[in-house]
């Protein structure tokens, strides 16, 4: 039979439905409910944040913390940093019940949580410790800009936010991740050799390939090529190694390497720089109006550090409204990385199986509008269909397979 006829004999739709059928019944309902609930949490988290910020302003707590800070030093920057410490501790405490529900209780309800509450709290304490270092620096920089450039501070503020984002991106794999995960070298063997070969083909640093003990926190699978410049490193979650086959690991790593090779960190950062600019512009224009309408807050103006909750209130609303745009930006990059991964790993069936595994907590078959507005990754159905189309187009004599039922 001619090759063209062989290609035509592979039925993309039938192959796609075979994989989609692996997640069905209660498991499919559970996945859909979890994901749809997560979408609602975006809205409710914004509501909770707005209420907390409003309460801090209306109660006079924010103004009191500013007076407390200024009573201890005459230096504006130091007073701002002292306020930031109080603000971080207070807002974290007020948000804690919601954080416990969304980050622990709900995850446990859907059988995604692996750690006990005590260990989860320890991780939250680590995150708080990082915030107590970073938030004072960020607020001191932002309010210094507001005082020095009151008319166009939003431009400089957006620039500062972008700089802090890039610093965080660079620091994540080498300074932040090790605080939450035990990192160990991937052992020598065929799998490591396979990943190294893929990395070297695309000039990705692969001297070290780390395994993070994500299993102590969650049942999710993941991997990444993270960092910037000298901090770039390949990291695999131990769940990926224990719950998937070597071909599936290769499929995932091909995708993650695609982000690096295609420069998605830099391209996405450019998109988010524009988003930051728009957000800071709205915040700069709306916050003075909000403060003027509420004199009981005892906030002198935008340059008053006590205005922090008001600034964050407006920013929260803007970020929430911009969720579909943010999702589209990220989803576009993810789709490109999918295509790169298929070309690199050449494992369409393994990639389809990974899509099913990820659909344990991502809705597998959303409607097109739902996927466009709310998905920051292509849906499982989209990914599987693209993988099967790639298989038909690139694999000579592509054969239909009967995927096995997941047991992990």
């Amino acid at each position: 039979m001619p090759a063209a006829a062989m290609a035509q004999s592979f039925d993309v739709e039938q192959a796609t439905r075979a994989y989609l059928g692996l997640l069905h019944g209660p498991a499919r309902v559970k996945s859909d409910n979890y994901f749809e609930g997560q979408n609602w949490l975006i809205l409710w988290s914004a509501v909770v944040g707005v209420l907390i910020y409003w309460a801090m302003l209306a109660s006079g707590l924010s103004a009191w913390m500013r007076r407390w800070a200024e009573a201890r030093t005459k230096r504006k920057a130091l007073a701002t940093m002292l306020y930031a410490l109080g603000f971080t501790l207070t807002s974290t405490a007020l948000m804690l019940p919601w954080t416990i529900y969304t980050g622990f209780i709900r995850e446990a309800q859907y059988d995604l949580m692996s750690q006990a509450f005590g260990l989860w709290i320890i991780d939250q304490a680590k995150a708080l410790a990082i915030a107590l270092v970073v938030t004072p620096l960020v607020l001191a920089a932002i309010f210094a800009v507001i005082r020095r450039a009151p008319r166009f501070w939003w431009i400089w503020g957006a620039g500062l936010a972008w700089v802090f984002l890039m610093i965080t991106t660079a620091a994540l794999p080498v300074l932040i991740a090790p605080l939450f995960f035990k990192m160990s070298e991937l052992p020598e063997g065929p799998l490591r050799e396979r990943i190294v070969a893929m990395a070297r083909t695309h000039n990705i640093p692969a001297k070290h390939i780390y395994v993070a003990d994500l299993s102590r926190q969650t049942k999710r699978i993941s991997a990444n090529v993270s960092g910037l410049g000298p901090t770039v490193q390949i990291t695999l979650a131990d769940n990926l190694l224990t719950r998937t086959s070597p071909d599936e690991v290769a499929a995932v790593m091909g995708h993650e390497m695609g982000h690096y090779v295609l420069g998605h960190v830099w391209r996405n950062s450019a998109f988010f720089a524009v988003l930051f600019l728009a957000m800071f512009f709205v915040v700069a224009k709306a916050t003075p109006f909000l403060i003027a309408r509420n004199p009981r807050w005892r906030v002198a103006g935008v340059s008053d550090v006590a205005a922090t909750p008001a600034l964050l209130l407006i920013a929260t609303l803007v970020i929430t409204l911009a969720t579909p745009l943010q999702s589209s930006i990220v989803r576009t990059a993810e789709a490109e990385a999918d295509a790169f991964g298929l070309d690199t790993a050449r494992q369409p069936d393994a990639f389809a199986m990974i899509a099913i595994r990820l659909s344990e907590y991502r809705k597998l078959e959303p409607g097109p509008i739902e996927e466009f507005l709310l998905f920051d990754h292509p849906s499982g159905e989209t990914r599987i269909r693209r993988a099967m189309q790639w298989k038909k187009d690139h694999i000579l004599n592509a054969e239909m397979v009967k995927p096995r039922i997941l047991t992990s």
Side-chain angles (χ1 to χ4, degrees):
M1 183 181 292
M6 284 287 191
Q8 289 299 322
S9 68
F10 182 82
D11 190 324
V12 171
E13 184 61 27
Q14 182 181 345
T16 300
R17 299 313 306 180
Y19 277 101
L20 294 177
L22 291 175
L23 189 66
H24 60 275
R28 175 77 75 95
V29 173
K30 183 178 180 181
S31 169
D32 288 353
N33 289 343
Y34 177 80
F35 186 84
E36 290 168 2
Q38 285 292 102
N39 291 333
W40 280 106
L41 287 185
I42 295 173
L43 173 61
W44 288 116
S45 293
V47 171
V48 170
V50 166
L51 290 176
I52 287 175
Y53 297 141
W54 189 277
M56 294 180 71
L57 292 163
S59 66
L61 179 59
S62 185
W64 179 86
M65 287 192 295
R66 180 247 293 139
R67 291 194 299 271
W68 174 85
E70 291 179 343
R72 278 150 184 80
T73 179
K74 295 185 180 299
R75 297 183 178 181
K76 286 286 187 181
L78 187 54
T80 299
M81 296 176 78
L82 288 175
Y83 170 91
L85 291 174
F87 173 82
T88 302
L89 289 169
T90 302
S91 59
T92 300
L94 292 173
M95 189 74 76
L96 186 59
W98 181 248
T99 303
I100 290 174
Y101 170 70
T102 59
F104 182 82
I105 295 176
R106 190 168 186 272
E107 294 294 296
Q109 287 175 339
Y110 282 92
D111 198 30
L112 294 172
M113 177 62 61
S114 297
Q115 61 186 164
F117 183 72
L119 294 176
W120 181 84
I121 282 291
I122 291 174
D123 282 344
Q124 298 305 304
K126 293 176 183 177
L128 175 59
I130 294 171
L132 288 172
V133 174
V134 174
T135 305
L137 296 175
V138 173
L139 285 189
I142 294 293
F143 279 97
V145 165
I146 292 175
R147 289 191 294 269
R148 287 169 174 73
R151 289 187 61 190
F152 298 106
W153 71 266
W154 53 275
I155 298 176
W156 295 101
L160 283 172
W162 183 85
V163 169
F164 276 107
L165 173 64
M166 300 312 291
I167 291 174
T168 301
T169 300
L172 180 63
V174 294
L175 295 179
I176 301 175
L179 297 175
F180 296 90
F181 307 106
K182 179 182 178 181
M183 299 290 190
S184 58
E185 282 279 354
L186 179 67
E188 295 292 339
L191 182 60
R192 184 185 180 100
E193 292 172 2
R194 188 173 181 178
I195 295 172
V196 169
M198 293 169 62
R200 286 177 177 169
T201 300
H202 300 287
N203 298 316
I204 300 173
K207 181 179 180 181
H208 297 286
I209 300 177
Y210 293 100
V211 178
D213 63 337
L214 184 65
S215 61
R216 77 175 189 83
Q217 293 183 345
T218 180
K219 296 181 178 180
R220 301 169 191 259
I221 58 175
S222 69
N224 59 68
V225 179
S226 57
L228 292 174
T231 69
V232 169
Q233 70 179 42
I234 298 172
T235 305
L236 294 77
D238 57 352
N239 287 336
L240 181 64
L241 300 177
T242 58
R243 297 191 61 201
T244 70
S245 68
D247 285 346
E248 290 173 60
V249 174
V252 171
M253 291 314 304
H255 168 94
E256 297 301 334
M257 290 178 186
H259 286 306
Y260 178 86
V261 175
L262 298 173
H264 286 158
V265 169
W266 295 104
R267 192 184 73 184
N268 285 356
S269 72
F271 282 128
F272 282 106
V274 175
L275 285 179
F276 284 151
L277 193 64
M279 181 188 73
F280 273 81
F281 174 78
V282 174
V283 170
K285 299 304 178 183
T287 306
F289 174 79
L290 190 63
I291 292 173
R293 292 290 299 271
N294 294 277
R296 293 183 179 180
W297 290 353
R298 300 183 185 87
V299 176
V302 176
S303 62
D304 182 352
V305 71
T308 297
L311 296 169
L312 290 174
L313 189 156
I314 300 298
T316 298
L317 295 175
V318 174
I319 291 171
T320 303
L321 291 173
T323 296
L325 177 59
Q326 297 177 64
S327 296
S328 293
I329 291 171
V330 176
R331 188 177 63 254
T332 298
E334 294 295 334
E336 293 174 355
D338 284 351
F340 182 95
L342 285 167
D343 288 337
T344 300
R346 300 185 65 82
Q347 295 292 333
D349 287 292
F351 186 85
M353 186 61 75
I354 285 292
I356 290 295
R357 295 189 191 277
L358 293 174
S359 293
E360 292 174 2
Y361 47 86
R362 293 178 185 170
K363 192 172 184 178
L364 185 58
E365 296 185 81
I369 295 177
E370 182 182 9
E371 183 167 1
F372 177 77
L373 292 177
L374 299 173
F375 276 62
D376 58 4
H377 287 66
S379 68
E381 178 189 15
T382 297
R383 286 177 142 172
I384 292 168
R385 183 167 280 105
R386 288 174 179 170
M388 294 302 98
Q389 185 64 55
W390 186 96
K391 181 177 180 179
K392 178 178 181 178
D393 295 340
H394 295 84
I395 302 296
L396 185 63
N397 301 334
E399 297 180 355
M400 302 290 293
V401 300
K402 184 178 181 179
R404 62 183 178 85
I405 298 297
L406 301 180
T407 58
S408 58

